[in-house]
Amino acid sequence: MSSSVGQARAALGARLRELRRDARLSGKQLAEACGWHPAKVSRIELGKQQPSEDDLLAWCRATNSPLVYDDLVATLRNLQSMYLEWRRVVASGRAHRQRQSLEIEGRAQYVRWFESWVVPGLLQTSEYAAAMLTTCRALVPGGRDDIAEAVAVRMSRQRVLRTGRRRFSFVIGEAALHQTVGSSEIMAEQRRALIEHAANPRVDLGIVPATVDASVGSHGFAIFDAERVMVETISAELTITRPSEIAIYTDAFAIMHGLARHGAGAVDLIAGIGV
């Protein structure tokens, strides 16, 4: 889990400890008032256990601090949004998640996106996206069967590549161009699409050759302005907002960007694989 999440949880725990001490309650007394085991109070205050909204309500009642309940709930919900398991994300449908990306990308003015093993979602063809989403649904089942709708929304996201004054910088590992997603025909079409994207003046497309030492790029991530980084793991999605962590991702992107071939060099590399 991101240290942003850990720090946010610890900060919430510290705030709750402060409320308990202001109420002159020991941890044991608070636990008795809430009907909990004393260890639960300790775990929450140390950030080792995330409280529920019901826990926060009980805490506020026990410490006679109802006025801070709404703030605590807002803090908790923000914390929950930093680390979301895919099974929760897709519960409302994959198309819904694509619409969230549409909103995030629409607000950003500068998007930097690195992927080592797959093509970034904003640059995918519909067939590539369908193959990816179908595979993901098999791995993390649940939610509505709305793959076709999700693909349509993902394709609509590409409008941001052609409008406004936004800038996009994509760096992709060469391995992603070789790795088959769906079929060899889908991959050839995807590579042709990347060459077309490379001609877009708003898009800086870089390909990191497989022959260079690129050990920094161990996983994909997307940086939206200097405000957030989003990371997709196999089981969850992380949203990182801590400035010091964003700075690390920014440095990592700069390293991978420096290793990549751009412009005609990138196009030649893509075309050399086969289109």
Side-chain angles (χ1 to χ4, degrees), residues 93-99 102 121-122 124-135 145-159:
R94 286 155 181 83
H96 175 70
R97 176 60 189 86
Q98 293 302 311
R99 291 189 186 92
L102 194 67
L122 259 180
Q124 293 176 6
T125 65
S126 59
E127 290 77 10
Y128 187 103
M132 287 289 298
L133 291 169
T134 299
T135 299
D145 183 5
D146 60 352
I147 296 296
E149 182 183 359
V151 170
V153 178
R154 177 168 287 190
M155 291 302 100
S156 72
R157 287 166 51 191
Q158 294 187 4
R159 282 199 296 266

Side-chain angles (χ1 to χ4, degrees), residues 107-247:
R107 286 201 305 266
Q109 294 302 307
Y110 184 27
V111 177
R112 287 164 284 182
W113 196 326
F114 169 74
E115 292 289 354
S116 59
W117 199 244
V118 296
V119 173
L122 259 180
L123 302 181
Q124 293 176 6
T125 65
S126 59
E127 290 77 10
Y128 187 103
M132 287 289 298
L133 291 169
T134 299
T135 299
C136 291
R137 188 169 193 274
L139 183 64
V140 186
R144 294 187 297 120
D145 183 5
D146 60 352
I147 296 296
E149 182 183 359
V151 170
V153 178
R154 177 168 287 190
M155 291 302 100
S156 72
R157 287 166 51 191
Q158 294 187 4
R159 282 199 296 266
V160 299
L161 299 173
R162 301 184 292 273
T163 58
R165 303 179 66 178
R166 302 178 184 87
R167 293 183 298 142
F168 297 88
S169 186
F170 296 97
V171 175
I172 307 172
E174 183 183 345
L177 309 180
H178 292 277
Q179 179 61 49
T180 299
V181 173
S183 69
S184 57
E185 291 77 15
I186 288 175
M187 290 306 301
E189 182 186 14
Q190 179 62 71
R191 289 191 288 268
R192 287 194 293 272
L194 287 175
I195 291 175
E196 293 174 6
H197 285 303
N200 183 341
R202 295 183 176 85
V203 172
D204 165 30
L205 178 63
I207 306 295
V208 180
T211 52
V212 305
D213 180 356
S215 52
V216 169
S218 59
H219 64 77
F221 56 89
I223 308 172
F224 298 90
D225 296 321
E227 296 179 355
R228 74 170 69 184
V229 175
M230 299 193 73
V231 180
E232 294 185 356
T233 72
I234 291 175
S235 63
E237 177 181 67
L238 307 180
T239 300
I240 295 165
T241 57
R242 187 176 170 218
S244 61
E245 283 191 86
I246 292 175

Side-chain angles (χ1 to χ4, degrees), residues 8-157:
R9 183 181 288 172
L12 177 59
R15 175 64 177 136
L16 292 170
R17 183 190 305 114
E18 186 178 80
L19 292 174
R20 176 179 61 78
R21 289 176 174 171
D22 287 347
R24 299 185 182 279
L25 293 174
S26 66
K28 183 178 180 181
Q29 289 171 322
L30 177 68
E32 289 174 352
C34 296
W36 301 337
H37 190 282
K40 180 173 179 176
V41 173
S42 176
R43 289 196 300 269
I44 290 175
E45 290 187 349
L46 293 173
K48 295 180 178 179
Q49 177 177 338
Q50 186 164 294
S52 66
E53 293 187 19
D54 285 343
D55 291 338
L56 294 179
L57 181 60
W59 201 292
C60 288
R61 285 173 172 167
T63 57
N64 193 29
S65 49
L67 296 180
V68 302
Y69 173 69
D70 288 344
D71 284 345
L72 293 174
V73 169
T75 300
L76 176 63
R77 290 179 180 176
N78 184 54
L79 174 60
Q80 290 170 333
S81 72
M82 290 182 179
Y83 181 90
L84 287 176
E85 292 184 46
W86 286 120
R87 61 182 175 80
R88 290 180 55 200
V89 174
V90 302
S92 53
R94 286 155 181 83
H96 175 70
R97 176 60 189 86
Q98 293 302 311
R99 291 189 186 92
Q100 290 178 324
S101 290
L102 194 67
E103 181 181 341
I104 293 168
E105 291 155 1
R107 286 201 305 266
Q109 294 302 307
Y110 184 27
V111 177
R112 287 164 284 182
W113 196 326
F114 169 74
E115 292 289 354
S116 59
W117 199 244
V118 296
V119 173
L122 259 180
L123 302 181
Q124 293 176 6
T125 65
S126 59
E127 290 77 10
Y128 187 103
M132 287 289 298
L133 291 169
T134 299
T135 299
C136 291
R137 188 169 193 274
L139 183 64
V140 186
R144 294 187 297 120
D145 183 5
D146 60 352
I147 296 296
E149 182 183 359
V151 170
V153 178
R154 177 168 287 190
M155 291 302 100
S156 72
R157 287 166 51 191

